[in-house]
Amino acid sequence: MTATNAAAEGSGALRDELDAINARITKQASHVRELKKAGTTSADEIAAAVDALKDLKIESESMRKRMEVLDPTAQFNRRVFDELILRKMFIVPSFEIHGGVKGLFDLGPPACAVKAAMVDVWRKHFVLAESMLEMECTCLTPEVVLKTSGHVDRFTDLMVKDPASGECFRADKLLEDAIDELIDSNPDMPASEREGHMRVQIQADAFSPAELDDKLVEYGCKAPSGEPYGPSFPFNLMFKTSIGPEGTAVGYLRPETAQGLFVNFRRLLDANAQKMPFAAAQIGLGFRNEIAPRSGLLRVREFCMGEIEHFVNPDDKSHPNFPSVASKELVLFGRDDQLGSGKTKSIAIGEAVSSGIVNNETLGYFMARTQLFMERIGMDPNRLRFRQHLTTEMAHYACDCWDLEIQSSYGWVECVGHADRACYDLDVHSKATKTPMLATLKLDEAREVEVAKLKFDRKALGKTFMADQRLVSGALEALAENWADFEPIANALEKEGKTTVDGFEITKEMVTWKKTSKKVHEIKFTPSVIEPSFGMGRILYSLLEHSFYQRDADEQRCVMRFKPAVAPQKCAVLPISSGEEVNAVVDEIAAELMESDLATRVDKSTASLGRRYSRADEVGVPFAVTVDFDTLADGTVTLRERDSTVQIRLPKSDVTRVVFDFVHGRFTWEEATAKYLVVQVKED
Amino acid sequence: MTATNAAAEGSGALRDELDAINARITKQASHVRELKKAGTTSADEIAAAVDALKDLKIESESMRKRMEVLDPTAQFNRRVFDELILRKMFIVPSFEIHGGVKGLFDLGPPACAVKAAMVDVWRKHFVLAESMLEMECTCLTPEVVLKTSGHVDRFTDLMVKDPASGECFRADKLLEDAIDELIDSNPDMPASEREGHMRVQIQADAFSPAELDDKLVEYGCKAPSGEPYGPSFPFNLMFKTSIGPEGTAVGYLRPETAQGLFVNFRRLLDANAQKMPFAAAQIGLGFRNEIAPRSGLLRVREFCMGEIEHFVNPDDKSHPNFPSVASKELVLFGRDDQLGSGKTKSIAIGEAVSSGIVNNETLGYFMARTQLFMERIGMDPNRLRFRQHLTTEMAHYACDCWDLEIQSSYGWVECVGHADRACYDLDVHSKATKTPMLATLKLDEAREVEVAKLKFDRKALGKTFMADQRLVSGALEALAENWADFEPIANALEKEGKTTVDGFEITKEMVTWKKTSKKVHEIKFTPSVIEPSFGMGRILYSLLEHSFYQRDADEQRCVMRFKPAVAPQKCAVLPISSGEEVNAVVDEIAAELMESDLATRVDKSTASLGRRYSRADEVGVPFAVTVDFDTLADGTVTLRERDSTVQIRLPKSDVTRVVFDFVHGRFTWEEATAKYLVVQVKED
């Protein structure tokens, strides 16, 4: 999804006006062409018609600009924001003095603190609140694991090269850009034609290499050298290395944290005393060797993820806590709407699940919890939406996927995936390692089931399979638990005299069976996995954008409106003068705040108070205490709230408790202004 | 340092007895040899003498065992501990079902929670308390950075191969093991000879390849195949990969987090408003491709580090907060003591610095703060010591290094390095990138300094150096700031007519100068770096060992004595029966605890209360609330403290506040037993 699509959504009356003008442009352009073709028209007449066409285009352009103003992302001043982010060392390019590396960024002190607070909220909101089993697995991953998961073969992007320079490009992004450009440079393109192009754009990452090559030609994409691109081919995005001194063991840096949890499933189930459903979680790094990193911080090569794997019975995806979120309204952008109206819908998650828009309760539950998390850390709720994956985007085994997208100046960006991955992951690891990965459902009432009762000829088995014979008999016993599973084996053995199970060739002599029935008190099943996967870096970047504003539209007065709980520093303490007595009180208050683990910013510089408030605003410090001459007389100080710039006067001994309670959500600014004297102070 | 050395320290009366017996063994052995040599002694006589020798050896062995009992590490039951760690999923081998990878381990839920709490304390104790600038830099690092830091050339271990199998081994470890074995199998070795071997052992990782090859031969080391090892050669321990799709840009996984901070020095200094001294900090992953990972969790290939880089004026390494720790006693194992008495000293850090044992205040300050951190998270203070690096262990540029070693069943293990690295790191990056990395000291009084006043012939410079001319003149101007620095250049130009500055050849025509003096109000300098570097994984493992004990020496009743602040779960809530009313109260209390972000363990299983307490003990839950029938009558519950197993009775509405205050260190168990009724309950 790109910025163009985002802008295309800003609709309403202005949109209609613009459509009307664009229709007039089309008409006038056709008129000019006719005049020219006619050959009989005077040059002046043509010039006048061309001038009229130009005026219409200028009007259309100014209309587009007005539309952008209504769109909040358009008000965003990226130049000022980027300058602030770098100057205040929120985020800086990694290894800058050595020339840097594309797609690698460091978090500086304020962003590092915001991220730590964000991760802390995440852990409380998800892990702690639901007693999830948190793990920390390694980034280094042996090849066999990622071969099993499919990443070695399929974790690829299609790449093309400029044949002249050897420079590499992501093929789908080239196509998306070409379509953006085509639409942008043809404002008078009929809506239906534009929609056609946008549909191609939406599917850009789902084309086969051959299809993509055709599209690149169709849209006239040329390499920077001017030559056509070479054919597109899959490039694996994993960083490869070798583990151990021999140099023979291939390893990769994990592209996601999930595999570590899947391979630990049996131990996790034990740790949960075999109870289902349950969730495991992990916060950690992921790595992707992006072909052409761009979009600043949104497409990077090393990133922090938070992943939850909720293991559930595939026949019962209800969630015990679903009622607690059922009435929560979410903005959904369903599959049909993406290909149809292009409009989102606001709908309670309970209704979305019961009407089948969202596949099941557990998936819906996590979507609602994600929305609540975003609101809790201070994301703008008006710039969040859940976009459903198109059928072409989903893996064949997936039941349903919804991405939480956050709107920023880069458009709508996928920040949290919510995928029902069925039992794919456990299945592949179970098969590859010959390790059963099953959970048990205890039945309330015993149930009669048809089974096969097996009798093995251990001698025959042993002779053929030697050490593997237990594996073979185990695999057959597992199938025999359910006659429906065993029936094809039985048929094959009877008809052909042999068959293959888990790669072993079984012959008739090895086993005999009897179809029978038995009472079972429990059922074994491979759990389905519902996976919310958070891109912490993207969330952090989006939060920085959502938090940024300019006071009174003044470029010199930037503010980050962080909530107290996520603000990198909680309180500034400023002396009104450089007097020793005043400074002593500043140190005393700061020490007390620090002792309560409240990160504190002391600014004793000689700049004006207003300037020092502004500096604190720039890193989003929510409160500022000022020690003045009255403090020395009566022990009171002023406390300023960042966004309103309103100040209250309170005893200095109250400061730590009040700020602590603000940060921990136990006291609000409204309550504070009711309790303490509000003082008016002009800032400049 | 190995387990043998640790045991060698258990001294005193028992040691003297053992020495006496060993002397008798030596005497008897020599007697046996003489009898055999004589050729005239009867077989019975020889047999009797040999039996007497055997008896003496048995007595010696039992004496050694008794000595080990006095040594706390010897009481440690590793079998039971290892079984608990795995069963409760504290730490598990990574990718176990796929066969695992040596040197990679995952943290399971309880260890993951302990680690998060530990990191949280670290952040508060170091970063927050001193307003350090925390960063998060990338693990992926381009080659140029690690080439500059010296890691590409020198971050190596000496490796030997078994010529038959190609198997790789770390040469210094083979030597250490051979010496351990030699000493162990010769209990009657004279003390002076043993000390000689141990001195070789201590220097094992400082030998050159040729020296090490000689020692391996000298100590008779043979490869598993029986052949001698091949010659030792340096093996680089960094994991190598390639960044970007072209495959041409070499990158490594960082072996330490420090470089990310060094290359950001200029931005950090700006972020600190140019004020010195200041510290930057980073918590993150490091990677080392260990040749032969062993010692379980202590030598792994991927690990969490916490590093602090404190930047300070090399001429003034005092620390403003030093007085706050000066009286703190630390156990120091200085260089001289390691090579001499072999005994540690307990000494106040203030005295250690003033007497010159520890090089400077800042280094001493961090050593004391590290000790306090260890005590705060619950490490046994009797099993901590600071070992100074031998001169042979230190890099040539380092001023002084002290490792905090923690004693575990693997012996004394280096867990935190404290190194004064002088200005090496900033210097190399500054030179490699031609980026000045200087701090400024404002002088209280202006100072007269001798300088060179330069006049450039810009034409001559431009002709020779073109675009680089500013670099050349800048380098000369920097030297000219201090006549002492410029004098050699001046002399060379006068005598030879040319000289080399920063790789540029300067000739006489390019510059003229005048020795003069000027008043300066500030001095520019390259800061020194004092670096405390924490191996979080090793600290975590040591904490697990220090926390483990068996109640009443019963293998079935293991306990982890985590402090409430780092315990993975803070409180267990147990119903005395499975009645609905009782369970409802359990849920109510658990929900209230969770709402205060206190990780809670609900155990409604049908096991006996005693059994359920034991299960909570095994993961170190410090408190357990039991809801019984009295609760339904009067609203009170019991609260059990893990280590004493003492219980108090309190209103259920007090539970959350009391546990919260325990965890946050605002209320002690002693205070609780004074305030509430103590009840005696027999557990089984």
Side-chain angles (χ1 to χ4, degrees), chain B residues 87-109:
Chain B
R87 179 165 51 83
K88 287 295 166 182
M89 212 180 175
F90 278 92
I91 302 178
V92 296
S94 303
F95 315 109
E96 206 181 359
I97 61 170
H98 284 278
V101 179
K102 265 194 207 164
L104 295 183
F105 293 89
D106 294 343
L107 301 186

Side-chain angles (χ1 to χ4, degrees), chain A residues 484-554:
Chain A
D485 292 339
F486 189 75
E487 197 169 16
I489 310 288
N491 289 344
L493 288 178
E494 255 166 26
K495 260 198 265 177
E496 327 272 344
K498 63 181 184 181
T499 188
T500 303
V501 171
D502 280 5
F504 296 108
E505 195 182 87
I506 320 280
T507 60
K508 216 177 166 161
E509 293 72 44
M510 296 175 185
V511 61
T512 54
W513 62 89
K514 207 172 76 183
K515 181 176 169 186
T516 175
S517 74
K518 75 169 181 186
K519 271 206 166 147
V520 295
H521 301 268
E522 52 179 46
I523 289 176
K524 301 248 178 226
F525 62 90
T526 303
S528 272
V529 170
I530 289 168
E531 178 190 83
S533 170
F534 292 70
M536 294 295 192
R538 289 181 172 192
I539 295 170
L540 175 64
Y541 177 81
S542 306
L543 184 60
L544 295 182
E545 272 206 14
H546 286 202
S547 300
F548 170 79
Y549 68 97
Q550 293 168 223
R551 206 186 290 287
D552 307 329
D554 182 350

Side-chain angles (χ1 to χ4, degrees), chain B residues 187-199:
Chain B
D188 48 354
M189 182 188 289
S192 65
E193 194 184 328
R194 194 175 56 232
E195 264 170 35
H197 293 306
M198 281 169 62
R199 205 159 301 168

Side-chain angles (χ1 to χ4, degrees), chain A residues 86 89 92 94-98 101 104-109 112 115-116 123-124 128-129 131 133-142 144-145 148 159 168 235 239-246 253 263-264 267-268 271 285 287 289-291 301-302 429 432-433 435 437 594 597-600 660 666, chain B residues 86 89 92 94-98 101 104-109 112 115-116 123-124 128-129 131 133-142 144-145 148 159 168 235 239-246 253 263-264 267-268 271 285 287 289-291 301-302 429 432-433 435 437 594 597-600 660 666:
Chain A
L86 205 58
M89 212 180 173
V92 296
S94 302
F95 315 109
E96 206 181 1
I97 61 168
H98 283 279
V101 179
L104 295 183
F105 293 90
D106 294 344
L107 301 186
C112 202
K115 192 201 141 192
R123 201 170 254 143
K124 285 171 180 161
L128 207 84
S131 299
L133 301 179
E134 188 181 347
M135 289 198 75
E136 218 178 279
C137 306
T138 59
C139 298
L140 287 166
T141 307
V144 60
V145 172
T148 302
M159 180 156 99
C168 300
F235 170 76
F239 288 99
K240 199 173 187 171
T241 189
S242 136
I243 304 176
E246 296 83 4
L253 294 179
V263 298
N264 273 298
R267 285 199 181 276
L268 287 165
L285 294 176
F287 300 82
N289 195 6
E290 295 288 350
I291 294 169
R301 286 173 167 158
E302 178 175 334
H429 286 292
T433 60
T435 308
M437 287 179 136
M594 303 281 268
D597 296 328
L598 297 163
T600 303
F660 187 91
R666 298 183 192 159
Chain B
L86 205 58
M89 212 180 175
V92 296
S94 303
F95 315 109
E96 206 181 359
I97 61 170
H98 284 278
V101 179
L104 295 183
F105 293 89
D106 294 343
L107 301 186
C112 202
K115 192 202 142 192
R123 202 170 253 142
K124 285 171 180 161
L128 208 82
S131 299
L133 302 179
E134 188 182 346
M135 290 197 73
E136 218 177 278
C137 307
T138 60
C139 298
L140 287 167
T141 307
V144 60
V145 172
T148 302
M159 179 157 100
C168 301
F235 170 76
F239 288 100
K240 198 173 186 171
T241 189
S242 134
I243 304 176
E246 296 83 3
L253 294 178
V263 299
N264 274 298
R267 284 198 182 277
L268 287 166
L285 294 176
F287 301 82
N289 195 5
E290 294 289 349
I291 293 169
R301 285 173 166 157
E302 179 175 333
H429 286 293
T433 60
T435 308
M437 288 180 135
M594 303 281 267
D597 296 327
L598 297 163
T600 303
F660 187 91
R666 298 184 193 159

Side-chain angles (χ1 to χ4, degrees), chain A residues 17 40 85 94 160 165 199 286 336 362 368 406 408 413 456 501 645:
Chain A
E17 264 187 73
T40 57
I85 289 300
S94 302
V160 290
S165 66
R199 204 159 301 169
D336 295 343
T362 298
I406 305 182
S408 72
V413 176
F456 293 103
V501 171
T645 74

Side-chain angles (χ1 to χ4, degrees), chain B residues 154 391-400 420-422 424 428:
Chain B
R154 291 189 304 272
T391 329
T392 48
E393 285 176 275
M394 285 203 303
H396 64 276
Y397 50 79
C399 299
D400 197 7
D420 183 334
R421 305 176 49 85
Y424 173 78
V428 291

